[in-house]
Amino acid sequence: MNTFTYARPGDAAEAHRLGSAIEAKYLGGGTNLVDLMREALERPAALVDVTGLSTTIEEREGGGLLIGAGVRNTAVAEHHAVRTRYPVLARAILAGASAQIRNMATVGGNVLQRTRCTYFYDDDGARCNKRTPGQGCDAIEGFNRTHAILGASSACVATHSSDMCVALAALGAIVHLRGTNGERTLPITDFHLLPEGHPETETALQPGELITAIELLPVSFAVRSTYRKVRDRSSYAFALVSVAAALELNDGKVKDVRLALGGVAHKPWRAFKAEAALKGQPVTETAFRAAAEAELSAAVPLRDNAFKIELAKRTITAVLMELATEKA
Ligand SMILES: Cc1cc2nc3c(=O)[nH]c(=O)nc-3n(C[C@H](O)[C@H](O)[C@H](O)COP(=O)(O)OP(=O)(O)OC[C@H]3O[C@@H](n4cnc5c(N)ncnc54)[C@H](O)[C@@H]3O)c2cc1C
Ligand code: SF4
């Protein structure tokens, strides 16, 4: 067992100062980090507990919400404004993990949870470029049924695990950060990175940077929105494919649409091609399927996961049909 220090700072400035120390890690609910420490995949010298910080959900001027990074996942899913104005987010959170884990997990920790690639966790027997850069990747020729079909590289084919982040990608959420040079914001779609040659670099976070909040913008399209997760078991399983979608209609045509996919890429995958294909289109199954085909045209299957391509197309089409026929 590695020894480590523990601190519970009283504000974000203090947290950032402590969190900038070498080998310090921020601690949210610990539902991922503590597991990784038990497996010796993470060996922090200092834990900086940020669960007492940024624990509110605030209304923004002009609409929108600012969700503190320390808010528990359950509290976000149960919040009235989230359920009524951004139902896709509440549904995505409730599709993840278990009630006990959601009660502990924080927004910041959910955004930064690590991949569930089994080779990543197998420190004794498997090669993994994410764990040990340059080592090789045993998933590419191995058991890769759950791995990526979009945006992968020859270095890593892992998928991102968060359900919440897929909804945040569809909503175009903004990540608020505190770092050495003060505060900054980033669109969530730019926050997580594709693996390319460096799968060990998973986000645009600078060393020691702290997530302080997630901002939801005041958007009209999100009222008619939902999340569907396809998985091996009906609960307590990560997505094979998931779809977060929002649809705004006008006179039988698509006025605005947002689509993001989970379980298919190294990051929550915003389906920009499908969105572009759908704008102005009539609300028909044919148009929805064509948009799904456009998005998945870039998919590259591995030995065991070609089924995800058709699964993603069908799930996109079905979710859009469900939204289109939902009563306003
Ligand atoms: C059995 C099981 C099943 C699960 N199933 C699902 C599922 O179906 N879908 C799903 O989406 N998730 C699932 N999860 C993952 C779960 O959602 C995550 O473990 C959880 O969201 C992580 O949140 P946390 O607050 O506990 O983070 P922690 O474990 O505390 O931290 C995770 C990472 O975030 C960093 N961190 C935390 N807060 C901040 C901050 N404010 N700023 C910067 N860095 C920070 C930590 O340093 C660490 O690197 C499952 C987990 C388990 C154990
Ligand atoms: S897919 Fe990525 S995380 Fe999994 S073994 Fe390969 S490099 Fe590691």
Side-chain angles (χ1 to χ4, degrees):
M1 181 71 182
N2 278 14
T3 56
F4 54 86
T5 61
Y6 171 87
R8 197 160 196 269
D11 59 41
E14 175 73 349
H16 175 253
R17 190 182 66 74
L18 295 169
S20 300
I22 292 170
E23 293 182 6
K25 290 290 288 186
Y26 295 116
L27 177 70
T31 61
N32 190 209
L33 181 57
V34 173
D35 275 358
L36 291 166
M37 289 168 68
R38 283 199 199 105
E39 301 288 333
L41 294 170
E42 293 275 13
R43 298 164 191 258
L47 283 184
V48 181
D49 184 339
V50 290
T51 51
L53 310 176
S54 311
T55 56
T56 57
I57 301 180
E58 293 167 20
E59 288 283 348
R60 300 289 272 171
E61 213 171 299
L65 292 176
L66 193 67
I67 304 175
V71 180
R72 306 286 178 176
N73 285 188
T74 301
V76 179
E78 287 180 349
H79 195 272
H80 180 73
V82 174
R83 284 192 292 116
T84 53
R85 280 148 52 188
Y86 308 95
V88 61
L89 179 56
R91 288 173 193 172
I93 291 173
L94 293 175
S98 65
Q100 291 90 338
I101 291 168
R102 295 193 296 268
N103 288 343
M104 284 299 289
T106 60
V107 167
N110 191 312
V111 170
L112 286 170
Q113 66 176 282
R114 308 295 305 273
T115 182
R116 293 286 158 169
C117 172
T118 45
Y119 298 98
F120 170 74
Y121 283 85
D122 182 8
D123 198 9
D124 291 331
R127 294 175 307 147
C128 171
N129 285 323
K130 189 182 281 300
R131 204 181 54 228
T132 311
Q135 189 179 51
C137 167
D138 275 344
I140 290 172
E141 299 293 331
F143 179 69
N144 46 38
R145 179 173 175 273
T146 60
H147 288 71
I149 52 170
L150 288 166
S153 76
S154 57
C156 178
V157 291
T159 53
H160 193 264
S161 314
S162 168
D163 290 294
M164 183 184 84
C165 289
V166 184
L168 294 177
L171 291 169
I174 307 290
V175 187
H176 286 238
L177 302 165
R178 183 182 186 106
T180 309
N181 299 319
E183 296 180 2
R184 68 174 179 132
T185 57
L186 265 183
I188 189 116
T189 42
D190 295 342
F191 181 82
H192 298 101
L193 305 177
L194 290 177
E196 298 175 351
H198 290 281
E200 73 281 9
T201 308
E202 297 177 334
T203 69
L205 269 186
Q206 299 295 316
E209 215 166 15
L210 175 72
I211 301 178
T212 55
I214 300 290
E215 182 179 355
L216 301 182
L217 300 172
V219 287
S220 53
F221 57 77
V223 179
R224 191 192 285 259
S225 65
T226 197
Y227 186 75
R228 189 177 293 186
K229 177 174 178 179
V230 184
R231 49 189 155 175
D232 283 327
R233 294 186 306 269
S234 61
S235 73
Y236 221 43
F238 290 90
L240 290 170
V241 166
S242 67
V243 174
L247 195 59
E248 193 172 14
L249 305 176
N250 185 24
D251 214 10
K253 292 202 169 143
V254 176
K255 181 178 171 204
D256 205 352
V257 58
R258 293 292 189 282
L259 267 179
L261 308 179
V264 296
H266 199 254
K267 60 185 282 184
W269 186 265
R270 176 80 176 266
F272 288 113
K273 275 189 204 160
E275 289 178 8
L278 278 168
K279 296 246 173 84
Q281 288 298 308
V283 180
T284 62
E285 191 167 344
T286 310
F288 294 160
R289 174 79 194 192
E293 300 270 359
E295 191 63 49
L296 273 300
S297 62
V300 178
L302 298 161
R303 189 193 64 208
D304 302 329
N305 69 1
F307 73 96
K308 282 191 177 188
I309 298 176
E310 179 60 20
L311 186 60
K313 290 177 187 173
R314 288 188 191 188
T315 311
I316 291 170
T317 309
V319 167
L320 290 172
M321 283 303 288
E322 179 187 317
L323 285 178
T325 51
E326 193 175 84
K327 286 214 166 57

